[in-house]
Every structure is written in C-alpha cells, then in structure tokens.
Amino acid sequence: AGVQSWFAIKASTVDGSTIECSLQDITDRVLATQRLEYLASHDPLTGCLNLRGLALEAEKPDYQPSALAYFDLDRFKLINDLYGHTAGDNVLKQVAERMGSVLQRQDKLARIGGDEFVIVFSRASMEDSEASCNSIAMLIGSTPFQIDNQSFSLDVSGGLVGMAHFGQSPLKDVVSAADTLCRMAKKRSTQRLVVMESGDRFFQQHQDEL
C-alpha cells in the first residue's frame, strides 16, 4: 500500500481500424532513475544537497535567495584521527541535523566538502539570517558530540554574505565569497561568524579578485 507503480502504454495500428496495445510495468526503471538523480544531487551520508543539487535549486524559477552562509567545522580532523572515519561520519550526520533544526522549510542546506556546509536562506532578512547562523554555531558548540563513551566538543566558523548585490553572478562566486569570510573567522579567537553586507569594501575587493 502506498507504493506507486509506473506503466508504459504503447498503441499502434497498421490499417487504421485495428489497434494493438501493450502495457509494460516500468516501475523498477523509474525508481532506479529517480534514485540516480537523487544521488547525483545529494550527499549520501547526511541526505543534504551537494553543490550540484544546490546549483539545480538555484536554477528554479521560484528561487529567491536572500543570503548565503558557509560553515567549516573546527578541529574536525581530530575526530577522524582519534576515533576513525565511522565516528567522524556519525558526527557529520549530527551536525547536519543540528543545522537543519534551525532552518525554515524554504532554506537549503548542502554539504559541499568533508566538513564544509553551505546554507542558502530564502526570503529572510540579513538580521534573521545572522541570528540563524549564530543559533547554529551555539547548537554545535554548546552540546558535545558523543563518540562511544567519549564526549567531543566542536566549534564551527562561518561566513555570511547578502545576495542583493550579487545580481546574476554564478552560485560558485557567492560560495567563494562566503568561504573567504569563513576563513577570516577561523583566524579570530572570538568572532566565529563574519558577516558581509552587500556593498561593503570586502564585497568590492572580492568582485575585483574574481
């Protein structure tokens, strides 16, 4: 019950009066195609979008991005070194869940690297987007992750850019700008999120570099 089935119907005629029809169950083929399309646009570990999936979302006509955030986990490599990649994968799943719990339905979360995540906020003000980013940083940093019988604390650095002045720039350029801000945040001891308002000096410098 609840499982969809797909059929292909073919009809042909030789003399115009007699019609021959065939009915073929193509459910397995359709489901396999849907699965391949899902895997091509999603991160199999966390179920988030990947960069390709995020770019496909950006091409939709109802795409209304207001801000983009780039997050990078601090000291994550230690988890893989100390506890192994299985433990690291479990932590990444938990990180994605914590991030997703803050987001609105129209926001998009993507994992684009080993421990790097991108969020596209839709229809939200910069103030609301910044508040969401700070909530994410607090959720990740305030509650340790359980690995076997051990607790491991993680912090996250982030960069947030406003989309208003990016115009028709490719998504990768916006991600690049947010990545640059994130790396700036990593070098700071207190400010874990660097925010770029569209139109400030950093924006112009980054456009010039591109």
Side-chain angles (χ1 to χ4, degrees), residues 1-207:
V3 177
Q4 287 185 327
S5 296
W6 299 81
F7 298 91
I9 301 174
K10 295 180 181 179
S12 62
T13 180
V14 176
D15 56 12
S17 60
T18 304
I19 299 175
E20 293 184 357
C21 295
S22 66
L23 183 68
Q24 180 184 9
D25 186 339
I26 58 169
T27 302
D28 289 345
R29 188 197 313 167
V30 170
L31 293 178
T33 301
Q34 290 176 343
R35 180 63 180 163
L36 287 173
E37 290 174 349
Y38 178 87
L39 291 174
S41 59
H42 289 74
D43 168 42
L45 177 65
T46 62
C48 301
L49 293 168
N50 57 22
L51 193 55
R52 179 180 182 274
L54 198 62
L56 290 174
E57 289 291 327
E59 294 173 0
K60 292 183 177 179
D62 60 346
Y63 179 67
Q64 293 182 322
S66 53
L68 183 145
Y70 189 108
F71 286 103
D72 193 338
L73 298 174
D74 301 330
R75 302 189 305 134
F76 177 76
K77 185 176 181 296
L78 270 178
I79 292 180
N80 286 331
D81 292 345
L82 293 173
Y83 304 105
H85 287 275
T86 300
D89 286 349
N90 288 332
V91 168
L92 288 172
K93 291 179 189 176
Q94 294 177 55
V95 167
E97 289 171 2
R98 293 187 192 185
M99 287 184 169
S101 69
V102 174
L103 304 181
Q104 301 298 314
R105 183 181 57 83
Q106 66 270 20
D107 299 331
K108 305 299 180 186
L109 172 62
R111 178 180 172 226
I112 66 166
D115 60 343
E116 297 156 338
F117 294 82
V118 165
I119 296 170
V120 175
F121 295 99
S122 297
R123 307 181 184 93
S125 66
M126 280 297 289
E127 291 77 11
D128 290 342
S129 299
E130 184 175 354
S132 295
C133 289
N134 286 325
S135 296
I136 286 172
M138 185 187 69
L139 268 178
I140 292 174
S142 62
T143 305
F145 294 86
Q146 293 298 126
I147 304 173
D148 296 329
N149 295 323
Q150 305 291 322
S151 293
F152 195 96
S153 295
L154 272 180
D155 287 314
V156 65
S157 299
L160 176 67
V161 297
M163 301 283 282
H165 286 233
F166 275 92
Q168 299 301 312
S169 297
L171 180 69
K172 62 182 179 62
D173 289 354
V174 188
V175 171
S176 171
D179 178 19
T180 300
L181 290 178
C182 179
R183 283 185 275 115
M184 290 168 59
K186 274 189 174 295
K187 296 175 183 177
R188 303 183 181 185
S189 57
T190 53
Q191 188 182 5
R192 310 308 299 174
L193 177 71
V194 177
V195 181
M196 180 200 82
E197 297 287 353
S198 46
D200 72 9
R201 191 176 63 178
F202 167 81
F203 174 80
Q204 190 56 53
Q205 287 175 342
H206 188 75
Q207 292 295 95

